[in-house]
Amino acid sequence: MDTADSGSSVFYRNRRRAYPSAVRGKGIHIYDAGGNRYIDAVGGAVVVNIGHGVQEVVQAMARQAAELCFAHVGMFTNPPQEELAEKVLQMAPEGMGRVYFVSGGSEAVEMAVKIARQYHLERSQPERYKIVSLRLANHGSTMGAFALSGITHRKLDYQPYFIHHPQVHPPYCYRCPYGREYPACQLHCAHEVERVIEMEGPDTVAAFIAEPVMGAGCPGLTPPPEYFPLVYSICKKYEVLFIVDEVMTGFGRTGKNFGIDHWNLCPDIMACGKGISSGYSPLGAVIVRQEIYDAFLDSARASFFLGHTYSGNPLSCAVGSAVLEYIAEHRLVE
């Protein structure tokens, strides 16, 4: 088989690999130009929650494309954005109050961090900027999200661009980095979060971020039942925001609406992507607690000016709304 560079103008992700050309998808299958059929067992990178070729979504996309494909959210809102925000909040933990739409998971993590930073600025705590994250975590490919990720070998080439963010070991009971055993360890890994906050200086830490179930860095790593409630209480003690990265785990992927629902917690901020549109259109979302949003309402500036061109895109939001309707109608989470 030829390499990816043969006869193509595309800058491929892996120049030494040849990629079959995917031309059609239906249900769990993808078909290539040579007529081969593949089982899309991972849903395209944990994206396609509802399967390929669902006509209800295709029809919703066509209807919206005929009406309106783009409206700058700095000047307009649009019905698909408003409708999707309501649907997302209906699925989110009780207490979440507002939704900010972006184009994907990395953008959502970036925006979650920016919201956390500006939240502390609004509360006259400008010294808070550090984000505590977990080693082995993967939070995205943009520089801010990449800096928070804990897959060290992937970050080496770009290290000069990253500011310091403290990291702690994940709750990896199978290969405990502290050489302990659960439950005799008494959740040493969770208490490490508090130790690091204190070492960094609590008044410099803005937020803690984690995936409810780890993805690319340590696939399927799931914390013990007590881990997140303990970390959550530590965050509250130091007024550190609790951010969950639901890009992979959101919208039914773990058998709950969101991964954090397994711990019955309401985070301060949630970053979402992938399953919100099931891959039918680029889409991500940041969901915030009402109390976080209220801090912006009281701001003298009154505006959150760090936007994205495709924030609240009506076509993508119409797709997201159709996907969530399909999930609800077919009881896919249950």
Side-chain angles (χ1 to χ4, degrees), residues 121-284:
L121 290 176
E122 302 299 350
R123 298 173 68 243
S124 300
Q125 296 183 340
E127 64 281 359
R128 287 186 183 261
Y129 69 93
K130 298 173 186 174
I131 312 294
V132 179
S133 61
L134 301 181
R135 295 188 177 95
L136 300 181
N138 181 46
H139 293 297
S141 299
T142 52
M143 281 300 178
F146 204 9
L148 301 176
S149 298
I151 309 175
T152 307
H153 70 274
R154 292 187 182 179
K155 298 168 65 175
L156 293 177
D157 290 348
Y158 311 98
Q159 200 65 45
Y161 300 106
F162 302 144
I163 65 171
H164 167 69
H165 289 294
Q167 293 189 326
V168 297
H169 287 296
Y172 194 0
C173 295
Y174 182 63
R175 292 189 177 94
C176 178
Y178 303 106
R180 307 192 180 199
E181 291 190 4
Y182 175 82
C185 63
Q186 297 183 323
L187 276 295
H188 181 80
C189 53
H191 290 289
E192 273 292 284
V193 176
E194 181 168 25
R195 186 183 72 84
V196 166
I197 290 173
E198 290 182 340
M199 285 183 61
E200 294 289 332
D203 58 350
T204 70
V205 179
F208 166 85
I209 186 170
E211 303 160 278
V213 177
M214 278 189 139
C218 196
L221 191 158
T222 306
E226 307 93 335
Y227 178 79
F228 278 124
L230 179 52
V231 171
Y232 184 85
S233 67
I234 291 168
C235 289
K236 292 303 175 186
K237 175 180 176 180
Y238 294 99
E239 298 184 341
V240 169
L241 296 185
F242 184 76
I243 303 174
V244 291
D245 179 345
E246 293 272 3
V247 174
M248 279 196 178
T249 53
F251 303 99
R253 179 61 69 176
T254 68
K256 298 277 188 181
N257 288 346
F258 293 95
I260 200 64
D261 291 340
H262 290 281
W263 289 269
N264 296 313
L265 294 174
C266 180
D268 295 301
I269 305 174
M270 301 168 69
C272 307
K274 296 185 184 282
I276 189 174
S277 68
S278 194
Y280 285 76
S281 185
L283 185 62

Side-chain angles (χ1 to χ4, degrees), residues 24-37:
R24 185 168 67 90
K26 185 64 179 176
I28 67 169
H29 295 110
I30 286 181
Y31 300 80
D32 71 13
N36 298 302
R37 185 177 72 172

Side-chain angles (χ1 to χ4, degrees), residues 10 33 48 151 170 225:
V10 174
V48 187
I151 309 175

